[in-house]
């Protein structure tokens, strides 16, 4: 009842999977190839027509494995094309070249060899796993290396070969095994050292590859404390203008300008250049640097940095009006009297839906936007952290409705016009129009509300 194991295709499939790199040649039948010592002759007949004789075929042993794969050789004996060729041997259906490789080679206190490749990454953290192959003395064991390779590196590709890794044991045994822990630590250190070396030797190239490798580095900074410490030397923080800083470079660059009245350094960031364009421009107008942090785990990462680094906080540029994100000593004086502010506050709360918006009156520059919509940094961050598995759940943020702050600039000419408009109907119209413009700038205006806004806009310009 197992006759399929007698079929050539099944035998070939098993040999290629488990014995592709066995240290002795494996013959599986024979095959016909062109005789390398035979050179076909070309003759010309009386009419000038050329004829080339066919190749001579010879029968040779069909050796289906590579007994001397790249990871068994010394790094000094390998060139870039050798690493590239071995990658294609491992992944024949992968057409993109890897970004770079890391050659592992240690014989004390454990034996381990291997080559790890950084492929181009996507922001989908689950897509890439189970691509590293584990061998023992060149015999394939498994492509599930969880527990042996640190989790953040399971998104890489390549080969690890070690006779010191116990086989056919439970995952809990692997996690408790001393040799396995040492191997995991060694791999983490080796990867960190390679990244530092690449950064130091060719920073420009490293910056160009940052988007393709950042997810692994950021995940490593979150999950492995030793990697986090080493990453200070090569982890990059890109700005919306395409500049790249290490943490120390960023700190020194923005310290003078982005320290608030409480002596805390505020690091501004955006997650979408287009959606947050007006907020980014407001920050840049004050000479502030704005980072571009858009990976799916950025909320977890900035939480980690805030608890590790001294006296800093991260704030997304659309989290509040720019003067509130980095509070300085000087505060603008409102053009409105207390009585006018009370009247305006009452008027706004009658029109603006309280279940969606919390109205805040703020004295800002007269040329700043009349209505600005922001989402509190803490609430938004907790929701994001829960969405990527962590943090927010314990606070119950995941099920909370979306709430936004509506900041109304009491020094804006338009806000003064709304207050002084005689008819209630016109006041409501101006408030709704201003609110919808603010929502539009945040991508919050959709469906029926967008249709009503467009209709109202046409009515107002008739």
């Amino acid at each position: 009842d197992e006759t399929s194991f007698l079929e050539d295709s099944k035998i070939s499939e098993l040999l290629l999977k488990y014995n592709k790199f066995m240290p002795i040649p494996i013959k599986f039948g024979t095959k016909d190839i062109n005789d390398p010592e035979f050179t076909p002759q070309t003759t010309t007949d009386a009419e000038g027509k050329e004829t080339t004789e066919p190749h001579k075929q010879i029968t040779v042993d069909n050796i289906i494995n590579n007994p001397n794969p790249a990871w068994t050789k010394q790094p000094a004996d390998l060139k870039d094309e050798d690493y590239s060729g071995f990658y294609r041997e491992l992944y024949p259906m992968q057409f993109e070249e890897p970004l770079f490789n890391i050659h592992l080679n240690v014989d004390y206190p454990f034996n381990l060899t291997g080559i790890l490749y950084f492929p181009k990454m996507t922001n989908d953290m689950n897509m890439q796993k189970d691509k590293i192959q584990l061998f023992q003395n060149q015999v394939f064991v498994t492509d599930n290396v969880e527990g042996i390779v640190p989790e953040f590196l399971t998104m890489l590709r390549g080969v690890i070969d070690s006779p010191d890794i116990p086989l056919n044991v439970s995952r809990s045994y692997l996690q408790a095994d001393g040799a396995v822990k040492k191997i995991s630590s060694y791999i983490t250190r080796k990867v960190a050292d390679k990244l530092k070396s690449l950064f130091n030797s060719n920073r420009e190239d490293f910056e160009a590859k940052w988007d393709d490798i950042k997810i692994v580095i950021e995940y490593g900074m979150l999950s492995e404390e030793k990697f986090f410490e080493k990453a200070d030397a090569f982890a990059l923080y890109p700005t919306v203008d395409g500049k790249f800083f290490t943490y120390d470079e960023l700190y020194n660059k923005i310290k003078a300008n982005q320290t608030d009245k409480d002596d805390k350094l505020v690091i501004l960031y955006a997650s979408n250049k287009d959606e947050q364009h007006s907020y980014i421009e407001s920050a840049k107008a004050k000479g502030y640097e704005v980072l571009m942090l858009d990976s799916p785990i950025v909320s977890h990462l900035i939480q980690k940095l805030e608890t590790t680094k001294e006296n800093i906080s991260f704030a997304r540029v659309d989290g509040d009006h720019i003067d509130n994100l980095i509070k300085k000593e000087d505060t603008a004086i409102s053009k409105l009297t207390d009585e006018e502010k009370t009247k305006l506050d009452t008027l706004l709360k009658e029109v603006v839906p309280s279940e969606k918006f919390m109205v805040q009156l703020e004295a800002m520059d007269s040329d700043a936007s009349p209505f600005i919509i922001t989402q509190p940094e803490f609430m938004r961050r907790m929701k994001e952290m829960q969405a990527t598995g962590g943090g927010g759940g314990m606070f119950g943020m995941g099920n909370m409705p979306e709430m936004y702050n509506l900041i109304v600039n009491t020094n804006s000419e338009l806000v003064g016009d709304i207050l002084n408009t005689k008819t209630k109907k016109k006041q409501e119209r101006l408030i709704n129009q201003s609110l919808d413009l603010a929502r539009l700038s945040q991508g919050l205006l959709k469906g029926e509300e967008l249709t009503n806004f467009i209709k109202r806009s046409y009515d107002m310009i008739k």
Side-chain angles (χ1 to χ4, degrees), residues 141-155:
V141 178
T142 180
D143 54 11
N144 180 0
V145 293
E146 211 174 326
I148 298 162
V149 172
E151 193 184 350
F152 78 99
L153 294 176
T154 56
M155 291 182 276

Side-chain angles (χ1 to χ4, degrees), residues 45 89 248 255 297 403 407:
D45 62 16
E89 202 175 341
D248 285 344
K255 191 175 189 309
I297 55 173
M403 273 295 289
I407 300 169

Side-chain angles (χ1 to χ4, degrees), residues 9-45:
S9 59
K10 185 68 176 176
I11 297 169
S12 182
E13 175 196 325
L14 290 168
L15 286 171
L16 284 172
K17 181 171 183 178
Y18 292 99
N19 306 100
K20 191 174 182 178
F21 301 110
M22 275 278 278
I24 52 168
I26 298 172
K27 175 189 170 186
F28 182 51
T30 59
K31 61 181 178 181
D32 292 333
I33 61 166
N34 292 333
D35 185 350
E37 295 180 5
F38 174 75
T39 306
Q41 299 298 312
T42 301
T43 55
T44 308
D45 62 16

Side-chain angles (χ1 to χ4, degrees), residues 222 297-308 314 377-378 381-382 385 395:
L222 273 177
I297 55 173
V298 72
S299 297
H300 297 274
L301 182 63
I302 61 180
Q303 199 84 353
K304 167 90 174 170
L305 289 163
E306 283 174 343
T307 54
T308 310
F314 282 76
E377 175 79 15
F378 172 78
R381 202 187 291 183
M382 287 300 133
M385 286 170 71
F395 299 102

Side-chain angles (χ1 to χ4, degrees), residues 278-433:
S278 63
Y279 298 90
I280 293 168
E281 290 305 304
S282 297
K284 285 165 70 174
K286 290 191 172 283
Y288 298 153
E289 288 286 354
V290 181
L291 300 183
M292 185 65 210
L293 303 178
D294 59 356
S295 77
I297 55 173
V298 72
S299 297
H300 297 274
L301 182 63
I302 61 180
Q303 199 84 353
K304 167 90 174 170
L305 289 163
E306 283 174 343
T307 54
T308 310
K309 306 291 184 185
E310 266 187 53
N311 214 19
I312 66 155
S313 70
F314 282 76
R316 205 167 83 176
V317 281
D318 59 346
D320 205 333
H321 181 258
I322 191 63
D323 291 339
N324 289 337
L325 291 176
I326 305 179
K327 277 187 177 289
K328 304 288 186 177
E329 290 296 349
D330 50 335
T331 51
I333 298 166
S334 177
K335 291 179 181 176
L336 303 183
T337 64
D338 288 347
E339 189 181 334
E340 285 173 322
K341 283 194 268 189
T342 303
K343 184 181 170 187
L344 177 65
D345 189 54
T346 305
L347 181 62
L348 289 164
K349 284 176 179 172
E350 285 173 1
V351 180
V352 176
S354 60
E355 70 276 9
K356 290 183 182 175
F357 300 100
M358 193 175 289
V359 176
Q360 293 174 214
L361 302 184
E362 299 256 354
M364 298 186 282
D365 294 340
S366 56
D367 58 353
S369 298
F371 282 36
I372 300 169
I373 289 173
T374 65
Q375 188 172 28
E377 175 79 15
F378 172 78
M379 183 181 289
R380 194 205 66 253
R381 202 187 291 183
M382 287 300 133
K383 286 176 80 73
E384 285 174 357
M385 286 170 71
Q386 190 186 43
T388 52
M394 66 180 124
F395 299 102
M397 294 287 175
N399 301 319
M400 283 185 68
E402 292 286 349
M403 273 295 289
Y404 296 90
N405 295 327
L406 175 63
I407 300 169
V408 178
N409 181 5
T410 59
N411 290 337
S412 162
E413 191 179 332
L414 175 62
V415 172
D417 290 346
I418 290 171
L419 191 61
N420 297 321
T421 297
K422 301 299 179 192
T423 67
K424 190 91 169 169
K425 190 174 179 185
K426 193 171 179 188
Q427 280 180 324
E428 287 180 5
R429 223 166 127 153
L430 285 170
I431 291 169
N432 281 322
Q433 190 71 1

Side-chain angles (χ1 to χ4, degrees), residues 32 35-36 42 49 65 69 73 96 100 121 157 166 188 198 248 253 260 285 290-291 347 382 420 428 439:
D32 292 333
D35 185 350
T42 301
K49 185 179 177 184
N65 65 320
K73 300 171 185 175
E96 269 190 344
F100 51 85
M121 296 290 173
R157 294 179 181 165
T188 300
L198 289 166
D248 285 344
K253 176 85 165 60
D260 68 11
V290 181
L291 300 183
L347 181 62
M382 287 300 133
N420 297 321
E428 287 180 5
R439 293 165 88 188

